[in-house]
Amino acid sequence: MTILQRLSSITLIINFKTVLISALAIVATWASLQLGLVADYPLTIISTAVIFPIVFSIGHAYKRREAALDDYGVMKAHGRALYFAARDWLAETNPARLRQIEQTMADLLTACRDMFKGDRADMRENEKRVYAAFSDLSRFVRAMREDGLASGECSRCNQYVSKMIVAFESVKHIYQYRTPRTLRVFSDIFIIILPLIYGPYFAYEAVEYGAPMLTYVMPILFAIILTGLDNIQSHLEDPFDQIGVDDVAIHAEKFVELLACGEEPEARLAA
């Protein structure tokens, strides 16, 4: 990762929300010092009201991302298996058939990418394109059967298509649904409220520092930690939006390019 990419990643964690919450914490601390309001609050409230819900959501969002990666891998693996079947399971290699399966896989992955990166309001139209590509794969298997592929091998190819559809449906549900929204709202409320409530606590700690320049270190650090964790969770929430560095990227063109790596040079020239 380059320095520019690292800086970009930092801006995803520390953003305008961080500045806003930090400002609230500083104002609350300053007001408490001016009014002489000091109190030694227990920090367990922070962990119970904010840290635990956010960490739980981060863990759940990360599992969703890993599940999406697994299902994406299943789609690519079985798509590649279909390509090998078209290339090697018939007596004669037909370059036109290989170009057809390449184009169909490109259409499928491109439609998946457009759907998962697009707005959910456009999901129905994008999903039609995905299932149109799956229909083309099904018809492709039938065409191989007509060209002489054994029925048992055709059945296996249809199983490949079926497993790709199952994987797509799993990824689609990850795209459609999010981590518990009420838990997110609960955390957001306390991220705003706690810096204000804990002003007397920050003032209490500042009295013991003995150095005026350290007075606002604690409230700023408090705000950075809370908003940073919340921003991490937000970027993991949708693994397809391509905003965070940890998102799932669907490289349709690269996949199709790598399909023909083991193909005979003569077959490529014949195409």
Side-chain angles (χ1 to χ4, degrees):
M1 183 180 292
T2 64
I3 295 178
L4 186 61
Q5 288 175 323
R6 290 181 183 276
L7 291 175
S8 177
S9 300
I10 292 175
T11 59
L12 293 175
I13 299 174
I14 301 175
N15 53 16
F16 176 75
K17 185 176 183 179
T18 307
V19 176
L20 179 60
I21 300 300
S22 297
L24 289 176
I26 290 172
V27 169
T29 304
W30 176 84
S32 298
L33 288 171
Q34 296 299 313
L35 298 174
L37 299 175
V38 294
D40 186 10
Y41 291 161
L43 293 177
T44 53
I45 297 177
I46 300 173
S47 60
T48 303
V50 181
I51 302 298
F52 173 75
I54 291 179
V55 171
F56 174 82
S57 296
I58 288 175
H60 188 62
Y62 181 77
K63 289 180 181 178
R64 285 159 41 86
R65 172 184 175 272
E66 293 301 294
L69 281 172
D70 289 341
D71 290 322
Y72 176 41
V74 168
M75 291 183 64
K76 293 201 301 180
H78 287 92
R80 192 177 298 274
L82 277 173
Y83 176 85
F84 291 156
R87 189 189 68 186
D88 302 329
W89 291 7
L90 289 166
E92 296 182 0
T93 300
N94 186 342
R97 183 189 303 118
L98 299 184
R99 302 296 83 76
Q100 182 182 355
I101 185 65
E102 287 177 5
Q103 185 59 52
T104 302
M105 287 303 305
D107 293 342
L108 173 62
L109 292 181
T110 301
C112 288
R113 180 174 60 196
D114 293 344
M115 174 177 168
F116 297 141
K117 287 179 63 177
D119 192 278
R120 277 184 287 177
D122 302 325
M123 175 181 161
R124 185 176 296 275
E125 291 301 319
N126 290 328
E127 191 175 9
K128 289 179 181 179
R129 291 176 51 204
V130 174
Y131 274 105
F134 278 127
S135 295
D136 290 340
L137 282 179
S138 180
R139 284 189 285 266
F140 179 82
V141 174
R142 184 183 65 185
M144 287 200 296
R145 178 72 179 91
E146 294 171 354
D147 289 342
L149 189 65
S151 58
E153 293 174 335
C154 277
S155 176
R156 183 174 300 179
C157 289
N158 281 319
Q159 290 177 14
Y160 294 157
V161 176
S162 175
K163 290 178 179 179
M164 292 173 69
I165 294 174
V166 170
F168 165 74
E169 286 293 335
S170 297
V171 178
K172 185 182 76 173
H173 290 156
I174 293 174
Y175 166 74
Q176 280 182 284
Y177 299 100
R178 299 289 185 258
T179 53
R181 296 180 184 274
T182 51
L183 194 63
R184 290 288 315 282
V185 173
F186 180 83
S187 299
D188 288 341
I189 291 173
F190 276 93
I191 286 175
I192 297 173
I193 292 177
L194 282 179
L196 297 174
I197 296 177
Y198 266 72
Y201 172 77
F202 298 142
Y204 169 82
E205 291 292 327
V207 171
E208 299 186 352
Y209 293 155
M213 66 183 65
L214 298 178
T215 300
Y216 300 103
V217 171
M218 186 69 172
I220 292 174
L221 185 61
F222 180 90
I224 291 175
I225 291 173
L226 293 185
T227 57
L229 287 173
D230 185 63
N231 289 332
I232 290 172
Q233 197 280 332
S234 296
H235 290 302
L236 285 175
E237 182 76 13
D238 185 355
F240 303 104
D241 59 7
Q242 306 304 305
I243 296 177
V245 295
D246 297 313
D247 286 343
V248 178
I250 298 178
H251 300 289
E253 296 79 10
K254 181 180 178 181
F255 175 79
V256 173
E257 180 183 347
L258 292 175
L259 275 179
C261 284
E263 191 177 330
E264 296 294 336
E266 293 80 2
R268 298 296 297 182
L269 291 175

